[in-house]
Amino acid sequence: MKCEYLKWCLLCLTALVVVSSGRKMKIVEEPNTFGLNNQFAAQSDRLQAKISPSPVSGPPHLHRLAGKCYNYIEATYKYVFCPFHNVTQREQTFRWNAYSGILGIWHEWEIQNNTFTGMWMREGDSCGNKNRQTKVLLVCGSSSKLSSVSEPQTCVYSLTFETPLVCHSHSLLVYPVLSEKLQKEWDEIEQARYEELITDQGYNKLLKELFEEAGLLRRSQQQKSEQSTTSLTHHSLDQCTQDFDKQKAEIKRLRSILTQHNISCDTTADRTQDQGNPDPSPLQEQHLRGDTGFIADLN
């Protein structure tokens, strides 16, 4: 209240001086706060998130960081990192238009060579024709704290977060975090790559899909839309039976056309069963999914 009173006194004194000098007075309406740092302004009025944070994921021992926030002050800026939530920046000045905004919202992990190499906070405040984003590097330290902040690219920030939770040599490995089912799939992908059954492009695509299924990478809205469009949902046994009969009839029709043109219609799965292996691996079934990077058998 004292600040507001002083502002009005200053405004009245300025008006008096201008009128007494015989010049026209131009009144400019200013906000009644000292910018976005005003402690009386509601937090929700200042920072509006574009999306919701992704679910907590990654190494279980890092989940204890969820719900906590860590501060770092550099010059006139205060940075706040809330793991699995967001990163914010506030200008610590009394300018009426001091900056305060979101530098990124928890999005996904960065994974390289079976290792969690960083946390990506994306979809922050607008910055020209793009949104601000931040990569958080996790390094070993005696205590959990933000140790440095930089901006290697315009509106792309880099934070270094020290914590004793990543000091163990296995603390950031990806494989142990996966379920037994996904670990088995990864083993099969590695075996297929070793046997040169898939290309490097196919290998990277399969791993990306596996990490998305594990919740470590965030699926794009387009991928979610395509999945919801192509997924089959049966609300009754009769409907399921009808769809099965239709698909069976269509397969029979296609087989008939291939036979008329003297084209073999044996599938990879059929040949595998004939050889005494009734349970084809998931990698073998993926030959039917289209181009996933598998090397074709030209023999």
Side-chain angles (χ1 to χ4, degrees):
M1 296 298 295
K2 182 180 294 185
C3 292
E4 295 295 325
Y5 178 76
L6 291 176
K7 284 187 64 179
W8 280 110
C9 289
L10 181 60
L11 182 61
C12 293
L13 181 60
T14 303
L16 181 61
V17 172
V18 172
V19 172
S20 62
S21 63
R23 292 181 295 172
K24 293 183 178 181
M25 180 177 66
K26 180 179 180 181
I27 299 178
V28 179
E29 183 177 354
E30 294 184 354
N32 60 353
T33 71
F34 284 116
L36 297 174
N37 285 320
N38 179 20
Q39 60 181 338
F40 299 106
Q43 178 76 8
S44 59
D45 294 338
R46 290 178 284 166
L47 303 179
Q48 295 292 338
K50 298 180 183 294
I51 60 173
S52 299
S54 297
V56 176
S57 63
H61 57 279
L62 294 183
H63 295 183
R64 69 186 69 177
L65 296 175
K68 300 180 180 180
C69 294
Y70 302 88
N71 302 332
Y72 180 82
I73 297 178
E74 184 178 80
T76 60
Y77 291 99
K78 178 181 180 180
Y79 299 87
V80 181
F81 169 52
C82 302
F84 303 108
H85 190 61
N86 66 16
V87 175
T88 60
Q89 179 190 38
R90 302 177 188 279
E91 186 178 358
Q92 302 296 290
T93 66
F94 289 97
R95 296 190 304 112
W96 72 269
N97 62 342
Y99 176 76
S100 179
I102 299 176
L103 302 186
I105 300 168
W106 163 236
H107 195 83
E108 62 185 358
W109 288 96
E110 179 179 85
I111 300 175
Q112 295 179 2
N113 299 325
N114 187 30
T115 304
F116 294 104
T117 56
M119 303 177 69
W120 273 108
M121 322 292 278
R122 305 188 191 274
E123 299 298 330
D125 289 345
S126 298
C127 181
N129 58 354
K130 59 182 180 180
N131 295 323
R132 301 176 191 272
Q133 58 180 331
T134 301
K135 179 181 177 181
V136 181
L137 302 175
L138 304 177
V139 299
C140 175
S142 58
S143 62
S144 294
K145 64 179 181 179
L146 274 180
S147 59
S148 68
V149 177
S150 62
E151 189 177 358
Q153 302 178 38
T154 304
C155 300
V156 178
Y157 304 84
S158 177
L159 271 63
T160 300
F161 181 70
E162 296 182 2
T163 175
L165 298 176
V166 300
C167 289
H168 193 279
S169 58
H170 296 166
S171 60
L172 292 176
L173 292 181
V174 178
Y175 189 87
V177 175
L178 302 177
S179 65
E180 184 177 349
K181 170 180 174 292
L182 293 180
Q183 287 180 350
K184 183 178 179 181
E185 289 185 15
W186 195 348
D187 292 340
E188 292 172 345
I189 293 173
E190 294 291 346
Q191 183 65 25
R193 186 189 192 190
Y194 174 77
E195 296 177 357
E196 297 184 350
L197 299 177
I198 55 176
T199 62
D200 289 341
Q201 181 180 359
Y203 171 81
N204 293 329
K205 181 177 181 181
L206 290 174
L207 274 189
K208 181 175 182 294
E209 292 174 352
L210 187 147
F211 295 150
E212 288 175 347
E213 184 177 351
L216 304 177
L217 300 182
R218 187 164 182 162
R219 288 188 175 95
S220 64
Q221 293 298 326
Q222 181 179 359
Q223 287 177 310
K224 293 180 181 178
S225 177
E226 290 175 352
Q227 289 180 352
S228 61
T229 302
T230 57
S231 62
L232 297 176
T233 302
H234 301 101
H235 301 285
S236 66
L237 180 60
D238 291 339
Q239 182 182 357
C240 179
T241 303
Q242 292 174 6
D243 288 342
F244 176 76
D245 291 339
K246 290 179 181 180
Q247 293 178 14
K248 187 176 180 180
E250 178 66 13
I251 293 174
K252 184 177 180 180
R253 185 184 70 84
L254 294 174
R255 283 177 177 271
S256 176
I257 294 175
L258 292 174
T259 302
Q260 292 175 7
H261 291 81
N262 296 323
I263 300 175
S264 175
C265 56
D266 290 338
T267 63
T268 302
D270 293 336
R271 292 195 299 269
T272 303
Q273 291 178 354
D274 292 341
Q275 296 173 0
N277 183 8
D279 184 19
S281 68
L283 281 174
Q284 291 173 323
E285 295 176 353
Q286 291 186 46
H287 280 279
L288 305 178
R289 295 185 182 179
D291 182 14
T292 57
F294 284 89
I295 298 177
D297 184 4
L298 301 178
N299 295 329

